[in-house]
Amino acid sequence: METGSKKVLAIIPALNEAETVAAVIAEIHSVVNCDVLVIDDGSTDATVAIARNVGATVVSHPFNLGVGAAIRTGLLYADRLDYSVVVQIDADGQHDVNSAIDLIEPALSGNADLVLGSRFASGYQVSGLRALGMRLLSRIVSRRIGVTITDTTSGFRAFGPNAVGPFARAYPTEYLSDTVEALLIANDLGFRIEERSVTMHPRLGGQASAGWSRSSYLMVRLFLVIAFHPLRRSEVQGSRK
Amino acid sequence: MTLEIVLAVTALLLFVVIFEALRRRRLSENFALFWMGVGIAAVALAFARPLIDSVSDAIGVSYGPTLVFAAFAVFLVIVCLSLSMHISRIESQVETLAQQLALREVFPPLSEGENESPSHDLEEPL
């Protein structure tokens, strides 16, 4: 994919993803003309060295801060170096890099400020209570922001030129809440939000993140975040760049 | 009944404080959820006198409310302990941060091969 004069940055939050990160970076380089930034969120394995070896810029958090914080670090970097479009891709190889093009394209052409990759179109399936929770989330969030979003917690997304700066300051950092709250903030700021279907791969390595009780807790917290969002003080306004 | 009302009002005040702190972003969602749980438990306890009395009888405590006080004291100790642990972790993280920042004055940030070096950009404070 050619990106013209506009600079595109792929940000990859990584926590102990030494097995898969090199393949992901190589694939990005082969598909999109962009720079790659790996945000190492306190890895204890060879993630950093491997990522540097294949030509990515790497910044390391001195200790684990969570995915949301890693995204914000990536956006801060992009904002400083004036990247127009930032695309967020997982280091575990689940996000299909070819789909990234579909996410970058609307952001690059200025048709959308935040582009989400929905995993459901490609048969991504979750079971039971979790599926119910995700459907409920999707319904509530879609109604709130006036755009139908099927996959609210997807971490495969692209940020357009208008979104990079504000999100660099205000991207939420609580695990799982970050993805949903970001949508609400985007809506507050009048961003155009779009959802595209993306392809998902089975995990190349590592393991899924949350067990049953933790998932339930995260879900409860997520609903609290959504319920309180309209009442809470905005982090974007009043904060300096 | 007066006791119940006092307890319920106290719990309500707790909720107002939590709500306001959450709204001003002085409290993270995690702590807010925890303290809301405490508030709900307090209200439930306020209206559970028969239950408290029967539990006290069963374990040989003659006056029910004493049990509530005892349980509450234990609970507060646990909360303090967990907050101490939390603070300890934050202390060690601040230490790590300060050390890395101090070392950076002597060892500038890595710039590998042909990677763009952003060091000059990052020197101004965030």
Side-chain angles (χ1 to χ4, degrees):
Chain A
M1 181 191 201
E2 272 311 311
T3 56
S5 60
K6 288 177 173 165
K7 290 206 292 178
V8 176
L9 178 71
I11 56 176
I12 307 178
L15 174 60
N16 297 330
E17 302 281 8
E19 289 171 48
T20 53
V21 73
V24 172
I25 296 166
E27 212 183 335
I28 293 172
H29 280 315
S30 72
V31 172
V32 192
N33 174 25
C34 69
D35 296 330
V36 177
L37 175 74
V38 172
I39 303 100
D40 155 46
D41 194 18
S43 296
T44 50
D45 64 2
T47 301
V48 173
I50 290 173
R52 285 219 171 95
N53 256 335
V54 292
T57 305
V58 181
V59 292
S60 285
H61 289 164
F63 33 77
N64 183 260
L65 295 173
V67 184
I71 301 305
R72 201 197 274 198
T73 302
L75 290 167
L76 278 167
Y77 177 94
D79 194 35
R80 288 290 184 91
L81 296 177
D82 288 322
Y83 284 95
S84 301
V85 173
V86 173
V87 60
Q88 169 193 348
I89 300 172
D90 274 3
D92 62 8
Q94 285 197 89
H95 293 164
D96 178 73
V97 174
N98 288 300
S99 298
I101 294 173
D102 297 332
L103 302 182
I104 297 170
E105 189 269 316
L108 204 58
S109 66
N111 289 324
D113 302 305
L114 180 60
V115 190
L116 307 172
S118 171
R119 299 165 286 185
F120 290 116
S122 62
Y124 169 70
Q125 285 190 332
V126 287
S127 53
L129 211 56
R130 197 155 172 198
L132 193 74
M134 288 181 81
R135 250 202 311 276
L136 191 62
L137 263 180
S138 147
R139 191 164 306 169
I140 295 170
V141 172
S142 299
R143 185 171 307 168
R144 185 75 69 79
I145 68 179
V147 181
T148 304
I149 305 294
T150 58
D151 188 3
T152 52
T153 55
S154 167
F156 198 8
R157 42 181 67 185
F159 304 85
N162 296 330
V164 172
F167 274 138
R169 274 159 282 147
Y171 199 79
T173 55
E174 292 278 8
Y175 179 66
L176 204 62
S177 311
D178 62 324
T179 50
V180 177
E181 202 181 1
L183 284 172
L184 302 176
I185 295 172
N187 184 52
D188 293 344
L189 295 172
F191 289 167
R192 286 152 308 161
I193 304 166
E194 203 177 304
E195 188 178 63
R196 294 284 181 102
S197 291
V198 293
T199 310
M200 289 285 286
H201 298 304
R203 303 182 73 88
L204 294 175
Q207 65 230 329
S209 43
W212 186 84
S213 60
R214 182 157 161 76
S215 297
S216 321
Y217 170 71
L218 290 173
M219 208 51 117
V220 170
R221 194 177 71 187
L222 208 41
F223 285 115
L224 178 86
V225 166
I226 295 170
F228 273 79
H229 181 80
L231 306 168
R232 294 181 82 180
R233 186 171 289 176
S234 163
E235 282 196 276
V236 183
Q237 290 150 14
S239 60
R240 70 209 165 81
K241 188 170 176 178
Chain B
M1 201 60 208
T2 330
L3 178 70
E4 277 89 340
I5 292 170
V6 170
L7 267 170
V9 169
T10 313
L12 193 72
L13 278 175
L14 181 64
F15 268 102
V16 171
V17 173
I18 295 167
F19 179 85
E20 196 51 28
L22 190 62
R23 202 184 67 78
R24 296 182 186 191
R25 295 186 183 274
R26 296 273 174 85
L27 194 63
S28 79
E29 290 91 346
N30 292 318
F31 284 114
L33 265 181
F34 173 76
W35 286 111
M36 279 177 180
V38 172
I40 291 168
V43 175
L45 271 181
F47 296 98
R49 188 64 196 268
L51 177 74
I52 290 166
D53 283 338
S54 61
V55 171
S56 316
D57 280 347
I59 61 174
V61 176
S62 57
Y63 182 54
T66 337
L67 182 68
V68 177
F69 277 116
F72 199 59
V74 171
F75 172 74
L76 286 183
V77 168
I78 293 171
V79 171
C80 284
L81 193 63
S82 99
L83 287 179
S84 302
M85 280 161 28
H86 204 82
I87 292 173
S88 304
R89 210 189 69 213
I90 292 170
E91 271 177 358
S92 80
Q93 288 182 338
V94 169
E95 199 178 296
T96 307
L97 269 182
Q99 286 162 344
Q100 297 213 346
L101 210 58
L103 287 173
R104 262 183 51 164
E105 289 177 11
V106 188
F107 306 105
L110 286 173
S111 52
E112 296 276 320
E114 63 208 55
N115 278 349
E116 187 171 12
S117 167
S119 58
H120 57 283
D121 276 291
L122 294 175
E123 260 159 31
E124 51 184 296
L126 289 179

